[in-house]
Amino acid sequence: MAEERPVPHKDPKHHVTPKRTYFFIFFALMILTAITVWVAFIDLGPFSTPIAMAIAMAKASLVLLYFMHLRHSTRVTWVVIVASFLWLGVLFVLTFSDYLSRRWDPNHIPPFAEAQAEARQSAPAAQH
Amino acid sequence: MNVTEHAEHHPALQHHFEDLGQQHEASTLGMWVFLATEIMFFGALFFAYALYRHQFYDAFIAASHHQNIVLGTVNTAVLIFSSLTVVLSVYFAQTSNRKALVWALIATMILGAVFLGIKAIEYHEHFEHHLFPGQNFSMPEVTLPVAQNAQMFYVLYFLMTGLHALHMVIGLGIFAWLTWRANRGEFSIEYYGPVEVCGLYWHFVDIIWIFLFPLLYLIGRH
């Protein structure tokens, strides 16, 4: 019953990934976690956030490709995943293009200006 | 153990599929479509985070400094470790190693519970330090306008980590059900779809945390 030998399989849909691959990816993820904490304490100026995000994307890619078996997935699965990230891109680009272009308008009232002014006004009253 | 030798078809095969291979592909694809909707669900929150961080950058740095970086890092490691036990459970299901499969699933649930426990300790700390947004919010080391804006960090923090934790709780329920089925010896190389599909869900929740960790804990630390 407790037989660990991979069963020989004819069906290419059922790919058995060896355990050592999983352990290797696990250690890579742990090392990347350590790196992301380490670089957070180094002053990289404007590059801090892009580097942190690049490491997070590398980790996510490892999880997607090896743990979620995207390497052996069908093309239609790839279409679903690529499409979902594309839509996420649409969400970010279109909504940011609204918020960031508002200050191009000469009559523009900065977003959150009202809330900020309110906060400043109520400052002495709310002191505690 | 092997039912296929005696029955006309595998007991797990649903009548509307040609064979187990097709059934496996369909269920995996279905989970990916669900995860695509989840990407949009969390995506809206990530967008809100990006926008407010852009507007209130100083406040976000000040707020992030209140985060417990040690607990955050430990929790990241716990979650990555649980992803390892999930993929090992797929391996043990494929190799019909019932005992190891059940243990891998139990280990996953323990690690998930540890994550939630640590998260609860962190939430408790935030409440104690008046970092929950609302009337009692206080961040005395910064000026009041900055403190006001810092509340937005904590609104997003509690929404994003709370939604993530909710997914973990649901995941624990799913894995308890999976463990029960695994213990009955249902899974083999022909039929391990449920282990794979639930694993996809768990890894997705892990990926969300991989992004939440640097965004919420590691801003302006130098």
Side-chain angles (χ1 to χ4, degrees):
Chain A
M1 195 175 67
E3 178 189 14
E4 266 205 41
R5 182 171 46 85
V7 180
H9 53 95
K10 289 142 259 163
D11 196 344
K13 284 163 198 155
H14 299 303
H15 187 95
V16 180
T17 308
K19 272 191 287 187
R20 64 169 185 280
T21 308
Y22 291 144
F23 283 114
F24 183 77
I25 298 301
F26 167 73
F27 284 118
L29 289 170
M30 286 298 197
I31 289 164
L32 286 170
T33 304
I35 291 173
T36 199
V37 174
W38 174 62
V39 296
F41 289 96
I42 301 170
D43 189 359
L44 297 166
F47 296 107
S48 281
T49 306
I51 285 174
M53 285 298 96
I55 295 171
M57 278 175 197
K59 285 167 78 181
S61 306
L62 288 178
V63 173
L64 283 164
L65 288 170
Y66 290 91
F67 282 4
M68 299 171 91
H69 307 122
L70 210 50
R71 280 189 316 154
H72 306 294
S73 289
T74 54
R75 284 185 188 179
V76 66
T77 312
W78 277 87
V79 170
V80 169
I81 296 154
V82 171
S84 62
F85 282 110
L86 219 61
W87 280 111
L88 189 66
V90 170
L91 170 83
F92 268 73
V93 171
L94 288 188
T95 324
F96 256 129
S97 71
D98 171 12
Y99 277 101
L100 298 185
S101 62
R102 284 183 193 184
R103 51 188 73 170
W104 300 348
D105 178 359
N107 305 315
H108 139 90
I109 300 159
F112 318 108
E114 220 171 281
Q116 300 243 36
E118 214 171 88
R120 251 173 240 121
Q121 269 177 8
S122 62
Q127 208 84 57
H128 52 263
Chain B
M1 273 311 268
N2 198 343
V3 200
T4 42
E5 287 169 13
H6 306 289
E8 284 201 346
H9 64 76
H10 196 282
L13 179 65
Q14 306 276 322
H15 66 85
H16 46 281
F17 291 114
E18 286 280 326
D19 53 45
L20 281 168
Q22 192 198 34
Q23 181 174 331
H24 183 88
E25 263 186 40
S27 57
T28 318
L29 183 66
M31 181 45 96
W32 276 109
V33 171
F34 170 68
L35 293 182
T37 70
E38 290 272 279
I39 288 174
M40 294 310 284
F41 187 19
F42 278 98
L45 285 169
F46 277 102
F47 175 80
Y49 171 90
L51 179 66
Y52 281 102
R53 176 173 161 163
H54 177 75
Q55 296 290 338
F56 304 149
Y57 189 57
D58 297 342
F60 270 48
I61 289 179
S64 183
H65 274 79
H66 285 268
Q67 297 288 92
N68 191 326
I69 204 163
V70 175
L71 291 183
T73 310
V74 169
N75 248 355
T76 308
V78 167
L79 218 49
I80 289 172
F81 194 27
S82 78
S83 265
L84 174 69
T85 59
V86 167
V87 283
L88 288 178
S89 75
V90 171
Y91 176 85
F92 292 134
Q94 287 173 329
T95 50
S96 302
N97 190 344
R98 187 177 67 95
K99 214 171 164 186
L101 168 61
V102 169
W103 277 113
L105 293 172
I106 289 172
T108 307
M109 286 189 288
I110 292 171
L111 290 164
V114 168
F115 177 91
L116 288 171
I118 292 175
K119 203 81 218 117
I121 293 169
E122 286 187 80
Y123 277 6
H124 180 74
E125 275 183 9
H126 299 319
F127 276 98
E128 294 240 294
H129 297 141
H130 297 279
L131 293 171
F132 188 78
Q135 280 218 308
N136 294 319
F137 186 87
S138 122
M139 205 176 269
E141 80 277 14
V142 292
T143 60
L144 205 85
V146 175
Q148 294 276 6
N149 296 341
Q151 289 202 53
M152 193 41 92
F153 174 89
Y154 276 98
V155 168
L156 289 165
Y157 168 81
F158 279 105
L159 269 174
M160 292 169 106
T161 59
L163 192 63
H164 178 266
L166 177 68
H167 277 78
M168 296 284 299
V169 172
I170 294 168
L172 287 182
I174 290 170
F175 270 72
W177 167 76
L178 207 57
T179 310
W180 176 72
R181 288 188 65 178
N183 194 39
R184 290 170 20 140
E186 283 190 31
F187 303 124
S188 64
I189 183 73
E190 289 107 1
Y191 181 64
Y192 63 96
V195 184
E196 171 79 22
V197 165
C198 298
L200 289 179
Y201 173 83
W202 193 275
H203 295 309
F204 172 80
V205 177
D206 187 13
I207 288 178
I208 293 293
W209 184 261
I210 283 173
F211 284 98
L212 286 181
F213 174 58
L215 291 176
L216 297 174
Y217 291 78
L218 303 175
I219 323 170
R221 283 285 176 175
H222 50 264

